[in-house]
Amino acid sequence: MATAAPQESSMIWVRNLSGQKASYALIVALPVIKPAIDPHDISTNIVATFSNVPSGSGVARFEIPKQIHPVCGTSVVDSSRVGSILEVFDQRPIDMARQLDDGTVQAGTVLDMVNEDAQPAFADHNADQPGFYSSFTPRPRTVYYIQPKATYGLVLGDLKVRSRFDIASSAVCEIDFAKLGVDDVEVIHTEHNELVVSRS
């Protein structure tokens, strides 16, 4: 029996029924990191945005690739304005650890980070300029186990991609793909200015 190929990305469709133009921003839940890092030391960043989506017929579509790319680089904070600048030196696609049907655990990708001429990089270089979800400053000679979450947040506001976002500063509509068990989710922006997951 033939089976359909797994979808390579997840979709969030936002339908604006608020009665006015609206802007939306997407964030991602903080990953689980071991050894533990204080959540205040992990920055949550704006992943994607849509501005001035019209009401009634307006729809914003966020496409989220399932392939994870860890990134190492240097972070430069600009105190004269809100947000930060991340200068990326290296990234790499990885495979997540997973449990097989027989109960054994298949190990995920392990990456070694080196510091050459004060520029962090992975052992084999593959420079690019990706977006990023969350970031933190690692301690020297420390092995981290990082487990990303399939949970995203949708917020109202005209925000900038890659800027830092304070989760406590705004109401967040949570979208947990793992809990919903689907790849496509529709969110309604209601006339009461609320974001509601309507279909999964």
Side-chain angles (χ1 to χ4, degrees), residues 57-78:
S57 61
V59 176
R61 180 178 69 91
F62 292 94
E63 182 173 357
I64 307 162
K66 293 182 179 179
Q67 176 65 62
I68 301 293
H69 287 77
V71 172
C72 63
T74 57
S75 177
V76 180
V77 177
D78 186 349

Side-chain angles (χ1 to χ4, degrees), residues 65-71 90-94 111 122 126 130-131:
K66 293 182 179 179
Q67 176 65 62
I68 301 293
H69 287 77
V71 172
D90 205 2
Q91 72 162 342
R92 188 70 47 82
I94 63 165
L111 298 175
F122 294 122
N126 182 24

Side-chain angles (χ1 to χ4, degrees), residues 91-104:
Q91 72 162 342
R92 188 70 47 82
I94 63 165
D95 294 318
M96 300 294 294
R98 61 191 181 96
Q99 187 170 11
L100 303 178
D101 292 338
D102 63 3
T104 60

Side-chain angles (χ1 to χ4, degrees), residues 70-188:
V71 172
C72 63
T74 57
S75 177
V76 180
V77 177
D78 186 349
S79 59
S80 66
R81 58 181 178 177
V82 177
S84 66
I85 300 170
L86 185 73
E87 184 177 9
V88 176
F89 288 101
D90 205 2
Q91 72 162 342
R92 188 70 47 82
I94 63 165
D95 294 318
M96 300 294 294
R98 61 191 181 96
Q99 187 170 11
L100 303 178
D101 292 338
D102 63 3
T104 60
V105 176
Q106 179 175 303
T109 303
V110 176
L111 298 175
D112 290 323
M113 193 174 79
V114 296
N115 193 355
E116 299 176 353
D117 301 321
Q119 295 185 1
F122 294 122
D124 296 318
H125 295 277
N126 182 24
D128 205 342
Q129 184 71 21
F132 59 96
Y133 292 171
S134 303
S135 56
F136 69 97
T137 301
R139 293 189 292 267
R141 296 180 294 279
T142 304
V143 176
Y144 291 97
Y145 297 90
I146 304 173
Q147 179 184 356
K149 294 181 180 178
T151 304
Y152 293 80
L154 194 66
V155 297
L156 294 169
D158 192 10
L159 303 170
K160 293 183 178 180
V161 172
R162 298 192 180 196
S163 63
R164 290 186 180 182
F165 179 78
D166 181 2
I167 295 177
S169 69
S170 178
V172 178
C173 175
E174 182 179 282
I175 302 161
D176 187 339
F177 285 103
K179 185 182 295 183
L180 294 169
V182 297
D183 290 320
D184 289 10
V185 171
E186 183 179 59
V187 176
I188 301 296

